[in-house]
Amino acid sequence: MLRTTYLHHGWQFAEKSWQSGNHEIGITKTEWLPATVPGHVHVDLVDNGIIGHPFERQNEIGCQWVDEKDWSYRTTFDWSPDPELPRRLLRFEGLDTICQVLLNGKLVGKTENMFVPLEIDVTDFLVSGQNELQVDFQSAVNVGIELQRSYLTDESLAKDTERFVDRSFVRKAQYMFGWDWGPRLVSCGIWRPVSIVEYQARILDVHVAQTHLDDGSVQLHIKTEVENLASDLKVVHLLATGGEVPEDEPFIIDEPELWWPNGMGEQTGFQILTFITSEEDALLELDHRETWVGLCKVELLREVDKWGESFEFKVNGKNFWARGANWIPDHSFPSLVTRQRYREQLERCIDMGFNMLRVWGGGLYEMDEFYEICDELGILVWQDFPFACAYYPDNEHWQEIVKAEAATNIKRIRNHPCLAIWCGNNENLEMHVNKWGGADKHPSRYYGENLYDRTLPNILAELDPHRPYIASSPIGNAPTDDPKIDKYKGPNAGRYGDQHCWDVWHGRGDWKFYGESEGRFSSEYGFASSCCTSLWEKTLTEEDWSPTSPTVRWHDKTGKGTDTFVGYVKLHYPDPVTLEDWVYYSQLNQRDALRFGVEHYRRSEYCKGSLIWQLNDCWPVQSWAILDSEGNYKALAYELRRLHADVMLSIVRVNDTITVWAVNDGIEPAEGFVSARATNLQTGELLGEWETESVELAPSERKSVLEFSVSGLAVPDVLISSQGFDDATAWSLLAEPKAARHADPLPILISNHEDGLITVKIEAPVVDLMFTSEGSPAPFQDNFVTWDQPGVYYLACESIPDTIEARSLSGAHVVKKTRSPL
Ligand code: BMA
């Protein structure tokens, strides 16, 4: 049986120039110090007390030197030969990035690609007894600069060619070089497991290809790649439920149970176990692999129609409204993302009603665990290839590199039913067409095009031919002369293909401009806010505790100065004086922005999906993320459950007229009544009430169901709320939150109602009542709640924390806990 022995013990690391006696005194000398593998050099430097944690205060600046140095890692391990297992590999699942590997002092391998495992045949290099293993990393920054220089020279391009940057020349997660939400921590390290693999024969790949036939049946075709399969050995595939299935011979599953994304059905699947065994002895097992198969077919419709060009997904023959967000790498040092962390993050996505995530091109091909959990939970994955916001070298040499990288990762991911679509890159086409930063310094051609238009589609045609592929996002074939198209140009134009709507935030600013987006599928749009207070507590010291302190500003990479960022919030909310104000108001403004945006897209007759920028953060920062880097819910996260529900209500106000819309993006029709009421914000007094007749909504139907006038009502005093169907709700103030006249912040009584439920008693209406416990969102099912009547309310909760703080738009509330029933 194949044996894997992990080599994760006894590692040490040191700065390389020190070993050769060339160190710069006072800056770079470190001795051989204990290291963690898998890991990253910054983490080892923190653990050894050499640098402060780069996430804290402004330590990021102080550790930039780390990336300009070369680093070595070494360990020893004992090994003795096993004649039953004559083949011996040293397998690195991931090396970050440019390095050479020495075994017992001999150079045995090299790599320059973080995304591809390195396997080295060490049969001739291992010695019986103690072995010495060393990995020498070269600075990715220095190598990138050198490669960039020579490539630009060879191509006769100017040194300062726009967006043809050093990172384009290193096959390493691009966000590590710094992004507009992430620190620049380029780093290096043995970032994935390392092992000695010993075997006689082994399985390299199992591909379970699916063809969905018109009669509803599914044809499966299993093909296995093996190494060293002697003539007396064979490959066998068994269903976990019993029975054998053939190798390289198509077979049909009649009446299959299909795999569906969240909200459309079950995530059904089955396990196929593949063995290398012997012709004579069926119990002999030389290697095995498990493949989880879910039967699912995703299509992407991009058809010319009366509005322009569609962009709509279909799963198992059914059109659906895609809802979710963009996933960035979940940590600045991706070796630290555990299976548990993936699970927590992805379960949060389900809680927020997602059915799709886009793995963005400035990051990674994620680890197997990510796709496994997406399979299990029903989250479709839009997978970008890792190229973003830059030109890339694309001559034959680079085409070969990208081909090999893509092939490895396509094979690794393609069996997952969650995988919906491949995309060549993030925004590179749009960058080239719209000449970001000004036309003069752009190269005349679209460098990288060979990769996205030739290398990637060719290798996909070979290895994963049935999955949709787009060459870039955004993409769309808008005519250049249609005056009706929104202000975006080229691939980002409205009404043609998907859109990244950055007119809001980067362009004209305020979120009201979402109302002008004509996206057929909004694959990126977002509004930034602060992380939660408890995360600031881990990041700042007392002197930093203000919304405009240099450290708080450092943890904002959005490219907007304080005045603009705070200004966006102040358009709607009061002046944030304290950091706590800033957390609260900026998160509410983000919530309002995406409420407005998601509702706009869901009311649209032609938009078929929304992927918010961005789900997560890789460090403590103010960004567009829905969850801060500790996974804390920002205000928007709670609201997304409502915004992503199949049946959603949306309140639209134009002058004195209120229209309530109802939208059904579920697979079942909906029927019910919709009502609305206007109440006084200070007292809860009823000012008006309206109701529909019974309303029917077919799947995919959206329409206005109720219209009424609020003329004569005192705008600052009014809250409009609406409810309908089973449990759809919506609310809106008539005034801007900063201009509304709220009740005074009266004390709030909280009592334990029964296990898992608390009662909350309020004496006056509350708007956006936020419960926290020591700065983190309180462990209540709902938060940022709005209740338009004084009274007693129930909240599901995991536990009642010892301390509870509460604030609403009225101000801070005194919270009194009582044991008596309310
Ligand atoms: C788009 C993304 C990211 C970026 C975001 C916010 O360009 O693809 O590159 O972080 O907008 O600016």
Side-chain angles (χ1 to χ4, degrees), residues 717-730:
D717 296 338
V718 181
L719 173 70
I720 304 287
S721 33
S722 177
Q723 53 189 1
F725 299 95
D726 284 341
D727 51 9
T729 58

Side-chain angles (χ1 to χ4, degrees), residues 253-415:
I253 303 188
D254 288 314
E255 296 179 27
E257 275 188 69
L258 300 174
W259 181 97
W260 292 95
N262 180 30
M264 294 182 76
E266 298 295 311
Q267 287 74 53
T268 318
F270 54 91
Q271 200 83 252
I272 294 181
L273 312 171
T274 303
F275 300 93
I276 296 184
T277 180
S278 125
E279 294 283 357
E280 268 122 61
D281 176 5
L283 291 179
L284 180 76
E285 188 188 311
L286 294 181
D287 191 9
H288 81 259
R289 188 172 288 201
E290 294 172 12
T291 310
W292 196 81
V293 180
L295 304 175
C296 175
K297 179 184 180 186
V298 179
E299 290 163 89
L300 172 63
L301 308 178
R302 298 175 64 201
E303 289 163 358
V304 174
D305 59 19
K306 65 175 170 179
W307 295 288
E309 182 188 301
S310 66
F311 195 101
E312 179 174 16
F313 286 100
K314 242 177 157 176
V315 61
N316 299 329
K318 287 193 181 163
N319 302 47
F320 69 97
W321 217 87
R323 43 204 113 150
N326 286 267
W327 168 277
I328 63 162
D330 209 29
H331 201 287
S332 284
F333 307 117
S335 56
L336 298 181
V337 181
T338 59
R339 186 182 189 101
Q340 177 61 20
R341 167 72 178 196
Y342 273 140
R343 176 167 291 284
E344 287 163 6
Q345 292 289 67
L346 294 168
E347 283 181 349
R348 290 176 184 125
C349 293
I350 294 296
D351 182 41
M352 295 185 286
F354 287 21
N355 58 22
M356 187 179 276
L357 273 176
R358 169 171 178 245
V359 177
W360 165 79
L364 300 157
Y365 305 92
E366 288 294 334
M367 299 306 97
D368 293 341
E369 293 89 333
F370 175 86
Y371 305 98
E372 284 163 18
I373 301 169
C374 286
D375 284 346
E376 182 190 319
L377 298 178
I379 301 174
L380 288 167
V381 176
W382 163 329
Q383 178 72 47
D384 281 4
F385 285 97
F387 302 92
C389 303
Y391 289 106
Y392 284 85
D394 63 357
N395 57 18
E396 269 173 38
H397 169 70
W398 286 95
Q399 289 173 33
E400 282 309 309
I401 290 172
V402 170
K403 184 178 167 188
E405 170 195 312
T408 305
N409 286 288
I410 294 166
K411 285 182 177 178
R412 182 167 68 83
I413 303 172
R414 64 184 168 178
N415 283 327

Side-chain angles (χ1 to χ4, degrees), residues 151-204:
Y151 193 89
L152 294 186
T153 310
D154 290 351
E155 293 289 313
S156 309
L157 291 168
K159 279 201 213 84
D160 59 348
T161 299
E162 186 75 39
R163 299 247 162 197
F164 217 159
V165 283
D166 51 354
R167 65 175 169 84
S168 304
F169 296 84
V170 187
R171 293 310 296 144
K172 170 174 169 68
Q174 302 283 282
Y175 79 106
M176 298 176 92
F177 291 80
W179 218 266
D180 59 2
W181 36 258
R184 183 178 168 91
L185 296 166
V186 181
S187 208
C188 69
I190 303 168
W191 80 286
R192 303 279 302 136
V194 43
S195 56
I196 293 285
V197 185
E198 295 163 271
Y199 57 98
Q200 185 181 329
R202 66 169 175 151
I203 300 167
L204 296 173

Side-chain angles (χ1 to χ4, degrees), residues 537-582:
E537 270 161 14
K538 295 183 178 168
T539 309
L540 309 177
T541 58
E542 221 177 300
E543 68 205 270
D544 305 322
W545 205 258
S546 111
T548 52
S549 73
T551 307
V552 167
R553 296 300 308 137
W554 185 257
H555 289 259
D556 166 18
K557 310 278 190 187
T558 61
K560 298 284 166 250
T562 324
D563 291 351
T564 311
F565 193 169
V566 177
Y568 286 164
V569 176
K570 277 174 30 182
L571 290 172
H572 307 285
Y573 284 92
D575 239 339
V577 178
T578 63
L579 188 60
E580 287 82 354
D581 291 345
W582 176 237

Side-chain angles (χ1 to χ4, degrees), residues 179-181 360 389 426-427 436 500 502 506 524 613 624:
W179 218 266
D180 59 2
W181 36 258
W360 165 79
C389 303
N426 173 70
E427 293 183 348
W436 290 3
H500 293 191
W502 285 112
H506 286 311
E524 268 192 26
W613 186 265
W624 301 272

Side-chain angles (χ1 to χ4, degrees), residues 39-45 63-64 66-69 71 73 96-98 114 137-141 172 176-177 184-189 332-335:
H40 277 97
V41 69
H42 284 86
V43 181
D44 291 325
L45 289 166
C63 59
Q64 291 304 307
V66 174
D67 295 327
E68 287 160 27
K69 301 293 161 201
W71 296 92
Y73 279 75
D96 176 17
T97 291
I98 299 149
M114 175 189 189
F137 291 95
Q138 258 185 292
S139 154
V141 171
K172 170 174 169 68
M176 298 176 92
F177 291 80
R184 183 178 168 91
L185 296 166
V186 181
S187 208
C188 69
S332 284
F333 307 117
S335 56

